[in-house]
PDB file of all heavy atoms in Angstrom:
ATOM      1  N   SER A 711    -118.603  28.417  -2.571  1.00  0.00           N
ATOM      2  CA  SER A 711    -119.478  28.611  -1.417  1.00  0.00           C
ATOM      3  C   SER A 711    -120.040  27.284  -0.917  1.00  0.00           C
ATOM      4  O   SER A 711    -120.696  26.562  -1.657  1.00  0.00           O
ATOM      5  CB  SER A 711    -120.616  29.561  -1.811  1.00  0.00           C
ATOM      6  OG  SER A 711    -121.385  29.883  -0.679  1.00  0.00           O
ATOM      7  N   ARG A 714    -123.801  27.522   4.688  1.00  0.00           N
ATOM      8  CA  ARG A 714    -124.441  28.800   5.026  1.00  0.00           C
ATOM      9  C   ARG A 714    -125.447  28.549   6.132  1.00  0.00           C
ATOM     10  O   ARG A 714    -126.279  27.654   6.013  1.00  0.00           O
ATOM     11  CB  ARG A 714    -125.203  29.373   3.823  1.00  0.00           C
ATOM     12  CG  ARG A 714    -124.328  29.762   2.660  1.00  0.00           C
ATOM     13  CD  ARG A 714    -125.199  30.335   1.540  1.00  0.00           C
ATOM     14  NE  ARG A 714    -124.556  30.153   0.265  1.00  0.00           N
ATOM     15  CZ  ARG A 714    -125.200  29.962  -0.883  1.00  0.00           C
ATOM     16  NH1 ARG A 714    -126.529  29.933  -0.897  1.00  0.00           N
ATOM     17  NH2 ARG A 714    -124.554  29.803  -2.009  1.00  0.00           N
ATOM     18  N   SER A 743    -132.281  25.949   1.784  1.00  0.00           N
ATOM     19  CA  SER A 743    -131.025  25.831   1.041  1.00  0.00           C
ATOM     20  C   SER A 743    -130.228  24.631   1.520  1.00  0.00           C
ATOM     21  O   SER A 743    -130.049  24.422   2.719  1.00  0.00           O
ATOM     22  CB  SER A 743    -130.177  27.088   1.229  1.00  0.00           C
ATOM     23  OG  SER A 743    -128.872  26.852   0.745  1.00  0.00           O
ATOM     24  N   HIS A 745    -127.218  24.437   1.306  1.00  0.00           N
ATOM     25  CA  HIS A 745    -125.952  24.919   1.867  1.00  0.00           C
ATOM     26  C   HIS A 745    -125.962  24.855   3.395  1.00  0.00           C
ATOM     27  O   HIS A 745    -124.910  24.765   4.010  1.00  0.00           O
ATOM     28  CB  HIS A 745    -125.650  26.330   1.355  1.00  0.00           C
ATOM     29  CG  HIS A 745    -125.217  26.345  -0.085  1.00  0.00           C
ATOM     30  ND1 HIS A 745    -123.937  26.027  -0.467  1.00  0.00           N
ATOM     31  CD2 HIS A 745    -125.902  26.594  -1.227  1.00  0.00           C
ATOM     32  CE1 HIS A 745    -123.835  26.108  -1.784  1.00  0.00           C
ATOM     33  NE2 HIS A 745    -125.025  26.446  -2.275  1.00  0.00           N
ATOM     34  N   ALA A 750    -123.135  20.698   0.573  1.00  0.00           N
ATOM     35  CA  ALA A 750    -123.124  21.267  -0.781  1.00  0.00           C
ATOM     36  C   ALA A 750    -121.936  22.202  -0.959  1.00  0.00           C
ATOM     37  O   ALA A 750    -121.446  22.800   0.000  1.00  0.00           O
ATOM     38  CB  ALA A 750    -124.420  22.025  -1.041  1.00  0.00           C
ATOM     39  N   MET A 751    -121.481  22.314  -2.199  1.00  0.00           N
ATOM     40  CA  MET A 751    -120.438  23.288  -2.519  1.00  0.00           C
ATOM     41  C   MET A 751    -120.718  23.846  -3.908  1.00  0.00           C
ATOM     42  O   MET A 751    -121.059  23.104  -4.825  1.00  0.00           O
ATOM     43  CB  MET A 751    -119.050  22.632  -2.490  1.00  0.00           C
ATOM     44  CG  MET A 751    -117.889  23.580  -2.749  1.00  0.00           C
ATOM     45  SD  MET A 751    -117.736  24.993  -1.597  1.00  0.00           S
ATOM     46  CE  MET A 751    -116.889  24.243  -0.199  1.00  0.00           C
ATOM     47  N   ASP A 752    -120.611  25.158  -4.043  1.00  0.00           N
ATOM     48  CA  ASP A 752    -120.661  25.779  -5.355  1.00  0.00           C
ATOM     49  C   ASP A 752    -119.238  25.813  -5.894  1.00  0.00           C
ATOM     50  O   ASP A 752    -118.312  26.227  -5.191  1.00  0.00           O
ATOM     51  CB  ASP A 752    -121.221  27.199  -5.258  1.00  0.00           C
ATOM     52  CG  ASP A 752    -122.678  27.233  -4.838  1.00  0.00           C
ATOM     53  OD1 ASP A 752    -123.375  26.221  -5.084  1.00  0.00           O
ATOM     54  OD2 ASP A 752    -123.116  28.241  -4.274  1.00  0.00           O
ATOM     55  N   LEU A 762    -120.505  32.091 -10.617  1.00  0.00           N
ATOM     56  CA  LEU A 762    -121.526  31.054 -10.591  1.00  0.00           C
ATOM     57  C   LEU A 762    -122.516  31.387 -11.706  1.00  0.00           C
ATOM     58  O   LEU A 762    -123.483  32.103 -11.512  1.00  0.00           O
ATOM     59  CB  LEU A 762    -122.206  30.999  -9.223  1.00  0.00           C
ATOM     60  CG  LEU A 762    -121.237  30.803  -8.055  1.00  0.00           C
ATOM     61  CD1 LEU A 762    -122.005  30.734  -6.735  1.00  0.00           C
ATOM     62  CD2 LEU A 762    -120.384  29.547  -8.242  1.00  0.00           C
ATOM     63  N   PHE A 788    -129.073  20.522  -9.414  1.00  0.00           N
ATOM     64  CA  PHE A 788    -130.114  21.236 -10.175  1.00  0.00           C
ATOM     65  C   PHE A 788    -129.831  21.138 -11.666  1.00  0.00           C
ATOM     66  O   PHE A 788    -129.384  22.099 -12.294  1.00  0.00           O
ATOM     67  CB  PHE A 788    -130.190  22.703  -9.726  1.00  0.00           C
ATOM     68  CG  PHE A 788    -130.345  22.856  -8.230  1.00  0.00           C
ATOM     69  CD1 PHE A 788    -129.309  23.375  -7.454  1.00  0.00           C
ATOM     70  CD2 PHE A 788    -131.515  22.446  -7.594  1.00  0.00           C
ATOM     71  CE1 PHE A 788    -129.445  23.504  -6.078  1.00  0.00           C
ATOM     72  CE2 PHE A 788    -131.656  22.569  -6.215  1.00  0.00           C
ATOM     73  CZ  PHE A 788    -130.617  23.099  -5.447  1.00  0.00           C
ATOM     74  N   GLU A 801    -128.257  24.792 -12.394  1.00  0.00           N
ATOM     75  CA  GLU A 801    -127.072  25.314 -11.709  1.00  0.00           C
ATOM     76  C   GLU A 801    -125.906  24.353 -11.896  1.00  0.00           C
ATOM     77  O   GLU A 801    -125.718  23.430 -11.098  1.00  0.00           O
ATOM     78  CB  GLU A 801    -127.343  25.486 -10.199  1.00  0.00           C
ATOM     79  CG  GLU A 801    -128.329  26.591  -9.875  1.00  0.00           C
ATOM     80  CD  GLU A 801    -128.330  26.973  -8.391  1.00  0.00           C
ATOM     81  OE1 GLU A 801    -127.564  26.370  -7.603  1.00  0.00           O
ATOM     82  OE2 GLU A 801    -129.097  27.881  -8.039  1.00  0.00           O
ATOM     83  N   TRP A 803    -123.004  24.661 -11.266  1.00  0.00           N
ATOM     84  CA  TRP A 803    -121.945  24.862 -10.261  1.00  0.00           C
ATOM     85  C   TRP A 803    -122.253  24.240  -8.903  1.00  0.00           C
ATOM     86  O   TRP A 803    -121.379  24.125  -8.062  1.00  0.00           O
ATOM     87  CB  TRP A 803    -121.713  26.371 -10.067  1.00  0.00           C
ATOM     88  CG  TRP A 803    -122.944  27.094  -9.576  1.00  0.00           C
ATOM     89  CD1 TRP A 803    -123.348  27.209  -8.277  1.00  0.00           C
ATOM     90  CD2 TRP A 803    -123.929  27.784 -10.350  1.00  0.00           C
ATOM     91  NE1 TRP A 803    -124.529  27.921  -8.194  1.00  0.00           N
ATOM     92  CE2 TRP A 803    -124.911  28.290  -9.454  1.00  0.00           C
ATOM     93  CE3 TRP A 803    -124.078  28.033 -11.725  1.00  0.00           C
ATOM     94  CZ2 TRP A 803    -126.021  29.023  -9.886  1.00  0.00           C
ATOM     95  CZ3 TRP A 803    -125.186  28.758 -12.143  1.00  0.00           C
ATOM     96  CH2 TRP A 803    -126.140  29.241 -11.232  1.00  0.00           C
ATOM     97  N   HIS A 804    -123.486  23.848  -8.660  1.00  0.00           N
ATOM     98  CA  HIS A 804    -123.886  23.413  -7.308  1.00  0.00           C
ATOM     99  C   HIS A 804    -123.838  21.886  -7.200  1.00  0.00           C
ATOM    100  O   HIS A 804    -124.649  21.186  -7.789  1.00  0.00           O
ATOM    101  CB  HIS A 804    -125.289  23.934  -7.002  1.00  0.00           C
ATOM    102  CG  HIS A 804    -125.822  23.532  -5.647  1.00  0.00           C
ATOM    103  ND1 HIS A 804    -126.013  24.421  -4.616  1.00  0.00           N
ATOM    104  CD2 HIS A 804    -126.191  22.324  -5.152  1.00  0.00           C
ATOM    105  CE1 HIS A 804    -126.492  23.790  -3.551  1.00  0.00           C
ATOM    106  NE2 HIS A 804    -126.615  22.500  -3.855  1.00  0.00           N
ATOM    107  N   ILE A 805    -122.855  21.390  -6.464  1.00  0.00           N
ATOM    108  CA  ILE A 805    -122.775  19.945  -6.254  1.00  0.00           C
ATOM    109  C   ILE A 805    -123.127  19.614  -4.811  1.00  0.00           C
ATOM    110  O   ILE A 805    -122.866  20.387  -3.885  1.00  0.00           O
ATOM    111  CB  ILE A 805    -121.398  19.345  -6.645  1.00  0.00           C
ATOM    112  CG1 ILE A 805    -120.251  20.022  -5.891  1.00  0.00           C
ATOM    113  CG2 ILE A 805    -121.200  19.417  -8.158  1.00  0.00           C
ATOM    114  CD1 ILE A 805    -118.902  19.338  -6.080  1.00  0.00           C
TER     115      ILE A 805
HETATM  116 ZN1  LIG B2339    -125.299  26.369  -4.354  1.00  0.00          ZN
END
Side-chain angles (χ1 to χ4, degrees):
S711 187
R714 295 181 206 148
S743 168
H745 287 280
M751 183 58 82
D752 294 335
L762 304 181
F788 307 111
E801 291 194 0
W803 61 85
H804 179 111
I805 56 171

